[in-house]
Amino acid sequence: MRWATVLILAGLCGASLGQYNEEEDLAWLQYYLRQSRVSSYNYVPYYEEENPPYAYSYPSAPDMEPELGPEPQQAPSWQCPQECDCPPNFSSAMYCDTRNLRYLPFVPSRMKYVYFQNNLITAIQEGAFDNATELEWLALHNNQIGSEKMGRRVFGKLHKLERLYMNNNNLTKMPSPLPRSLRELHLSYNHISKVPSNALEGLENLTALYLSHNYIFEMGASLKGLKSLILADLSYNNLRKVPDGLPASLEQLYMEYNYINAIPDEYFQVSPRLLYVRMSHNSLTNQGLSTNTFNSSSILELDLSYNRLQKIPRVNTNLENLYLQGNQINEFSISSFCSVVDVMNYSRLQVLRLDGNEIKRNAVPPDAPLCLRRATVIEI
């Protein structure tokens, strides 16, 4: 499974790199991957008894709000701000990261990649990027930017922006409006509590949305119109219900560590490419699930660990990895995996975890080896 996951990720990364054919663009991609403090998403499921969760603490507010520095005068389009570094060999990139900056310097018009991460910036003034309409990457993560100190249309003229990094800030609202050119939006580790249904409207090119570690309690139908979305990370929030409607393009959905207690019938059927679903550490019960909730032929990995399930939900025979540990399951129902058990009909399941439940080892029915003939790991 891990090899399959690596290959899938490699394919996704390959597709992303294919957009940067120029030597200069590849150089900036490599630099960013080396310098960024944003950790990549770990696709190996985490379980409490194996590793401790990642402990994140929000930075404490200073006694006095840092004052904004004087806004620098606009320099000629070829000149680099004195606060930053613009290597002459790569004239379209500007590095202003990790310099204790409290304000945004002027961005020359030639820039495509600008890095402001790991500073003390609290505000983005209106028109800050109006001169830099060629921007493709904008890194503002690990700062102290608040929603109330952002201009209303600071991204309005960035019609070529593809990647926006604003994770690890003090945002309380979704930035809006956002450029329709966006492919990746990183907003994890903020204070966002709500995603209005129109917050992501028009982002038909968006492939990855990161909203984990916020306080979101409502999503509405905000994901429905994202026609290119591949990955949605909504984990570690306050969701009590799943978003209304998923895009057909979705392949990876992460909603662990929320308060979801029910999923509508055939909820995942609208996403025929969906491969990975993680809903561990929620409040799911069998009463909140229908017979076919997880009977989707595309899903390869399903994580329902640490919920309140009393029975094994029915899954599709194409499923390869099922994690159910830490529930209240008290019976082993072979019909959950195989509606018919014979030589020609069997489950493709490879890993099944039922440890930490109320089920006993001798409860496994005798026809289980025939149905689960491909399983290499079964933990009870």
Side-chain angles (χ1 to χ4, degrees), residues 117-132:
Q117 71 268 25
N118 308 325
N119 281 297
L120 303 173
I121 299 168
T122 60
I124 305 178
Q125 61 271 25
E126 193 72 60
F129 306 114
D130 284 1
N131 185 64

Side-chain angles (χ1 to χ4, degrees), residues 246-304:
L246 298 176
S249 58
L250 196 64
E251 296 181 8
Q252 303 170 47
L253 177 62
Y254 304 113
M255 292 192 288
E256 62 264 40
Y257 287 92
N258 279 285
Y259 300 93
I260 300 168
N261 57 23
I263 302 175
D265 188 21
E266 299 184 351
Y267 179 71
F268 301 108
Q269 303 296 330
V270 297
S271 302
R273 301 178 183 177
L274 194 59
L275 299 172
Y276 302 97
V277 176
R278 289 189 181 166
M279 300 199 66
S280 67
H281 297 271
N282 276 279
S283 302
L284 292 173
T285 65
N286 290 97
Q287 290 72 29
L289 305 176
S290 71
T291 305
N292 292 313
T293 299
F294 299 112
N295 190 14
S296 172
S297 61
S298 65
I299 299 177
L300 298 180
E301 179 177 298
L302 177 61
D303 188 350
L304 300 174

